[in-house]
Amino acid sequence: MSSAPWCANFWSHTIYDWGDVVPPVSYGDGISDAKCVVSGLQMDYRRFQNQAQLACYTNERDAIRAYDAATPITTNLMGTFKDLDYFEWAKEMDVVSWDNYPGMDTPPSFTAMCHDLMRGIGGNKPFMLMEQTPNQQNWFPFCKVKRPGEVRKLSWQAVAHGADTVQFFQMKQSIGGCERFHGAVIAHDGTEQSRVFKETAALGGELDRIGKRIMGSEIRAKVAIMFDWQSYWSLEGCVGPTAGFSCPNEVHRFYRAFWRRNVPVDIIESTTPLDKLKQYDLVVAPALITVLPGVAETLESYVSEGGSFITGYMAGIHDEHDLVVPGGYPGKLRDLMGVWVEEIDALAPDETIEVHGDAVDAKGEIVASIIHREGARRLATYGGGEFYVGHSALTVNTYGKGKAYFVGTPLDETGMSAFMAPIIKELGLKPLDTPEDVSLSVRYGDDGVRYAFLINNSESDKRLCLDELNGGVELLTGHVVDGPVELKPYGVNVIELG
């Protein structure tokens, strides 16, 4: 970019737990539960909160625009932050930017998903990695330092998923305040002799050498996953059947199965129009509890014209007013999915349920949908000792020219991978096999050149051989790939392919 963007940045007060801030209301029968009272108001307030803060941003943006008509304006977003619907925000931003601060136990696939989400809210355009720390964060209970090569790996991972910038917070460590121990390029020693300074400078040299040829290139995906803030608010605001749901974690549960096979994914909003949905061979809607007006009809058209669609547990239950859709779950998706979910059983935190089928031998957790098939075909059943043993746990429904898959329970990683494997194969999505913790992403330039980013997300040496990489030029070293590739801990290869 020719000039740095303006960044309208502000802290805001938000409400996280309705039970803490809404006074209880007493009923004649002695029931007192504020959350029940505000079930509908919760959604209205969250929409108001989102729009009010967005108005603050647009007011700041417009004030800048009165004096600067050209410089891009942005504000740094925060991945899966619950309180703001980033699909709405991105429409008001010249370029999407965000702050990436994974914890020491954050899976690399979750970080990759967040990058893809930021790219997705901006319409699949390159985004800015506005903030990351060159060393440790300061707000976790235990703040581990980044391992040698880890910040470099995280930076190139962002580029691999669509970033056109790599930036840091902060340049120099403060001597006071709450972020005095937050990492910085220049630490409290004030010198250029630290490991962190040297690694950051080396990364800058790499980006300076090859960054310009990568900028503007795009990700091309045939799989889309819906990330819906309305469902986010509704799912986590429900009083029952469980308190065990994290909406981002449920999206990640599905996303991880594609990441592990190096199948690229776009993340889209649930109201994506039909003409765009038709660009994808597969659309996935994890825990889509809120079905906004027109969404069910669009999905029916998408599948009937040959698309494949996956949803499941908790889907279709609420309308846009956070009210249950009468007539049985999954509401307006019932005909499309070919199932009726009669009941939803909640599983205790350490409880699982067996799922068995021809391709899947797994465990489910959190909830189990008690399914009656209404045209769908059974793919797997529940095992164990519950009264619904033998009921369908996974189904597929032929709808027009396409297929709709229903996942009745949140599957463990092995089970989700096994469930996805035949779908990926049937749709010809071209998975690429890499060792555990090694990811491969591809960006496409306007000139037809492809840039393959091979990243070792672990502290162990890795070795692989992919025919698809042979003949490519590793841009950081100039070596031509011919045979096995060796990756050191947190190693990165950027390979240019014709």
Side-chain angles (χ1 to χ4, degrees):
M1 299 179 71
S2 58
S3 61
W6 283 95
C7 180
N9 196 2
F10 52 90
W11 291 96
S12 59
H13 174 70
T14 54
I15 293 177
Y16 295 97
D17 187 345
W18 285 90
D20 292 339
V21 299
V22 180
V25 177
S26 296
Y27 297 84
D29 59 2
I31 296 174
S32 177
D33 190 342
K35 293 186 178 181
C36 290
V37 176
V38 298
S39 176
L41 294 178
Q42 175 185 216
M43 293 295 284
D44 288 339
Y45 184 82
R46 285 203 172 276
R47 289 170 182 145
F48 161 75
Q49 176 180 262
N50 173 66
Q51 291 162 7
Q53 294 190 59
L54 179 55
C56 180
Y57 165 76
T58 56
N59 287 342
E60 291 180 339
R61 179 202 63 193
D62 294 346
I64 294 170
R65 273 284 168 259
Y67 298 94
D68 183 340
T71 305
I73 298 176
T74 188
T75 187
N76 36 335
L77 307 180
M78 296 183 289
T80 62
F81 183 64
K82 182 176 180 178
D83 294 316
L84 304 179
D85 184 343
Y86 284 159
F87 280 104
E88 287 192 28
W89 280 66
K91 294 178 176 67
E92 303 292 343
M93 298 166 65
D94 294 322
V95 59
V96 169
S97 67
W98 87 288
D99 303 346
N100 181 34
Y101 289 112
M104 61 184 182
D105 57 350
T106 302
S109 53
F110 192 94
T111 302
M113 181 188 78
C114 291
H115 288 311
D116 284 343
L117 175 60
M118 295 296 97
R119 174 171 53 84
I121 66 170
N124 203 33
K125 297 176 183 176
F127 61 91
M128 298 178 66
L129 179 58
M130 175 70 83
E131 280 191 26
Q132 61 174 340
T133 175
N135 198 353
Q136 64 204 126
Q137 288 97 303
N138 73 298
W139 56 82
F140 292 123
F142 308 98
C143 303
K144 294 185 72 65
V145 298
K146 295 290 192 292
R147 274 36 198 164
E150 188 175 0
V151 171
R152 174 178 181 259
K153 184 272 294 188
L154 287 167
S155 300
W156 280 112
Q157 183 188 37
V159 176
H161 286 268
D164 266 4
T165 74
V166 171
Q167 300 175 131
F168 291 93
F169 177 81
Q170 51 193 337
M171 182 64 180
K172 189 172 183 180
Q173 228 169 359
S174 63
I175 60 173
C178 65
E179 292 185 312
R180 71 187 72 182
F181 292 116
H182 186 86
V185 177
I186 301 172
H188 288 141
D189 57 42
T191 75
E192 299 180 5
Q193 304 307 310
S194 68
R195 173 181 67 90
V196 170
F197 185 94
K198 292 176 181 178
E199 287 191 23
T200 306
L203 171 65
E206 291 179 346
L207 294 167
D208 184 56
R209 289 203 318 272
I210 69 173
K212 289 182 179 179
R213 60 207 301 175
I214 297 169
M215 288 180 67
S217 56
E218 63 180 12
I219 311 290
R220 296 178 184 174
K222 301 301 289 182
V223 175
I225 296 181
M226 291 179 172
F227 193 107
D228 183 74
W229 259 270
Q230 311 284 321
S231 288
Y232 194 167
W233 299 334
S234 182
L235 183 71
E236 295 191 7
C238 282
V239 183
T242 179
F245 276 122
S246 159
C247 190
N249 286 349
E250 295 314 307
V251 176
H252 176 245
R253 189 185 300 273
F254 287 81
Y255 176 93
R256 180 174 54 196
F258 299 104
W259 181 86
R260 184 64 191 84
R261 290 178 169 85
N262 303 297
V263 174
V265 170
D266 284 348
I267 298 186
I268 62 174
E269 56 188 326
S270 71
T271 54
T272 299
L274 180 60
D275 59 347
K276 183 169 182 180
L277 284 188
K278 290 166 68 174
Q279 298 173 17
Y280 301 103
D281 295 332
L282 177 63
V283 173
V284 185
L288 189 71
I289 191 171
T290 299
V291 176
L292 298 173
V295 169
E297 294 79 8
T298 299
L299 289 171
E300 287 176 349
S301 296
Y302 165 74
V303 177
S304 67
E305 295 180 30
S308 292
F309 176 64
I310 300 174
T311 192
Y313 50 92
M314 304 303 294
I317 294 175
H318 293 161
D319 65 12
E320 70 273 23
H321 305 296
D322 207 36
L323 299 175
V324 171
V325 177
Y329 314 146
K332 290 185 177 181
L333 300 177
R334 184 168 171 176
D335 288 344
L336 174 60
M337 308 313 299
V339 299
W340 166 40
V341 177
E342 182 182 5
E343 299 176 89
I344 301 171
D345 192 17
L347 307 179
D350 296 327
E351 185 182 5
T352 60
I353 190 164
E354 297 175 13
V355 176
H356 302 296
D358 291 341
V360 177
D361 188 12
K363 294 185 184 298
E365 58 185 1
I366 306 177
V367 295
S369 308
I370 302 174
I371 297 170
H372 298 273
R373 290 179 294 119
E374 299 179 328
R377 177 169 56 88
R378 179 184 293 118
L379 296 177
T381 59
Y382 293 118
E386 291 291 353
F387 71 89
Y388 46 89
V389 62
H391 275 250
S392 297
L394 304 172
T395 64
V396 59
N397 187 43
T398 299
Y399 191 89
K401 298 178 182 178
K403 294 180 179 180
Y405 297 84
F406 194 90
V407 181
T409 181
L411 296 172
D412 60 17
E413 184 172 0
T414 300
M416 185 63 75
S417 179
F419 166 67
M420 288 292 187
I423 300 174
I424 290 172
K425 182 178 181 180
E426 179 180 337
L427 295 176
L429 295 175
K430 299 179 180 178
L432 293 172
D433 186 28
T434 54
E436 185 77 19
D437 293 322
V438 174
S439 60
L440 176 62
S441 304
V442 179
R443 291 180 62 166
Y444 293 78
D446 291 338
D447 55 1
V449 174
R450 294 168 294 153
Y451 301 97
F453 298 84
L454 196 60
I455 298 176
N456 181 3
N457 295 284
S458 76
E459 295 185 72
S460 303
D461 291 329
K462 300 289 182 177
R463 186 176 188 270
L464 70 155
C465 188
L466 281 175
D467 291 340
E468 290 83 356
L469 301 179
N470 286 336
V473 178
E474 207 291 305
L475 295 179
L476 298 174
T477 62
H479 295 158
V480 176
V481 178
D482 183 17
V485 175
E486 307 283 347
L487 288 171
K488 296 184 179 300
Y490 298 123
V492 176
N493 278 5
V494 182
I495 302 168
E496 183 178 282
L497 302 169

